[in-house]
Amino acid sequence: MSVEPYGADEESAAVLRTVGRVIKMCRERAGLTQAALGAQIGYSEEQVSSVERGRRAPMEEFLDAADRVLEANSLISALKGDVEKARFPKKVRDLAKLEAEAVEICAYDNSVVNGLLQTEEYLRAVFGSRRPAFSEEEVDQLVAARLARQRVVEGTPPCTAFSFVHDEAALRRRVGGKMVLRRQLERLLDVGQRRNVEIQVLPLDREDNAGLGGPFHLLRLREGSTVAHNEVQRTSRLISERKEIQILELRYGVIRAQALPPRESLAFIEKILGET
């Protein structure tokens, strides 16, 4: 995934500029300079300036602290929802919106653990391994966006069904090191206990693997349509063409049949954990 800077699309830029104006108005009303406000809320003058100019998306802690120090009576804190949406690249917002509208999410992964199930330290290791390297700000942006998307699994009601199939190789690759992988496998075992989540493993000793073409997601939406998401190298693509969807649905069905059943898969993950 390539990283778009904050405000790369006009929708995000407009939100961030509005937030910046509100904070500036409250700061000037309180008679504080940018440096003084930064000192009181734990941020540099440059960071405050970037937020007020709409060049940086402020974190929730920034907004809450500014609201308290400037005695804004929740005017600034109330902007957190708008800022959260504007913080991420448009393609991430579009995907997150579709995931929130899905009644079923199906995913196959053969390189790393699926992004909706990654621990924070695991996903930081994933983004940290990319070349050319991301900057620290880009990594933080990507991590925040991924964690925000994970809320669809963390907080969704049981009526949404999740199906994840992982190639065994993805579960054995020591992304971030031994302990990071162990904690990631433990998370899979925990999430796999939920009634609306099925996790399957496609063992390496299987002679047939319909997923050699790479990872993909299928999202079945409430109104009855299905869209797919495919991300390889620097390309992130949403697919809605019915013929392509049919091919991926057929492929996913075959992959699930080739993989171990959910209960056996969790036992298999426990085995990998014991060997890690």
Side-chain angles (χ1 to χ4, degrees), residues 77-107:
S77 292
L79 298 171
K80 286 187 288 187
D82 296 319
V83 171
E84 180 178 355
K85 295 177 182 177
R87 180 179 293 121
F88 310 129
K90 186 176 187 303
K91 58 189 174 185
V92 175
R93 299 200 308 271
D94 290 344
L95 179 58
K97 181 179 179 181
L98 288 171
E99 288 171 337
E101 295 174 354
V103 296
E104 183 179 18
I105 296 177
C106 304

Side-chain angles (χ1 to χ4, degrees), residues 39-73:
Q40 293 194 47
I41 65 175
Y43 290 84
S44 69
E45 179 181 359
E46 188 279 329
Q47 288 174 312
V48 174
S49 175
S50 293
V51 168
E52 290 190 352
R53 287 181 291 164
R55 296 182 59 187
R56 178 189 293 268
M59 301 299 290
E60 289 188 2
E61 295 81 2
F62 182 107
L63 295 172
D64 285 337
D67 192 276
R68 183 181 66 257
V69 169
L70 299 177
E71 298 182 352
N73 297 318

Side-chain angles (χ1 to χ4, degrees), residues 253-265:
V254 175
I255 290 172
R256 289 194 71 179
Q258 293 170 337
L260 296 172
R263 183 170 298 179
E264 292 179 30
S265 292

Side-chain angles (χ1 to χ4, degrees), residues 16 39 49 63 85 89 146 164 177 226 229 232 268:
L16 296 182
S49 175
L63 295 172
K85 295 177 182 177
R146 181 67 55 81
F164 300 96
T226 299
H229 176 245
V232 292
F268 195 88

Side-chain angles (χ1 to χ4, degrees), residues 145-274:
R146 181 67 55 81
L147 292 176
R149 281 181 52 214
Q150 288 183 1
R151 293 174 189 170
V152 73
V153 178
E154 296 292 342
T156 192
C159 59
T160 302
F162 296 89
S163 169
F164 300 96
V165 181
H166 290 92
D167 191 280
E168 180 184 343
L171 304 181
R172 290 192 178 276
R173 182 165 290 108
R174 292 192 176 186
V175 176
K178 178 180 177 179
M179 295 311 298
V180 172
L181 178 59
R182 284 186 60 85
R183 286 187 284 269
Q184 178 61 69
L185 295 175
E186 290 169 350
R187 171 162 170 75
L188 292 181
L189 292 173
D190 178 59
V191 176
Q193 299 297 325
R194 301 178 186 178
R195 289 182 296 173
N196 61 321
V197 177
E198 289 190 344
I199 295 177
Q200 294 179 256
V201 178
L202 183 52
L204 286 171
D205 62 7
R206 290 287 199 265
E207 295 183 4
D208 296 318
N209 182 341
L212 294 178
F216 62 93
H217 288 186
L218 290 169
L219 299 94
R220 298 190 171 99
L221 307 180
R222 288 189 179 90
E223 87 280 0
S225 64
T226 299
V227 296
H229 176 245
N230 183 33
E231 185 175 331
V232 292
Q233 295 298 331
R234 292 176 59 83
T235 302
S236 179
R237 184 167 71 112
L238 286 172
I239 303 167
S240 58
E241 293 83 355
R242 188 56 199 161
K243 288 185 178 180
E244 290 195 54
I245 295 295
Q246 288 177 335
I247 292 172
L248 292 175
E249 287 181 323
L250 171 62
R251 188 170 298 169
Y252 191 74
V254 175
I255 290 172
R256 289 194 71 179
Q258 293 170 337
L260 296 172
R263 183 170 298 179
E264 292 179 30
S265 292
L266 293 181
F268 195 88
I269 294 173
E270 288 183 340
K271 176 176 176 292
I272 296 175
L273 178 60

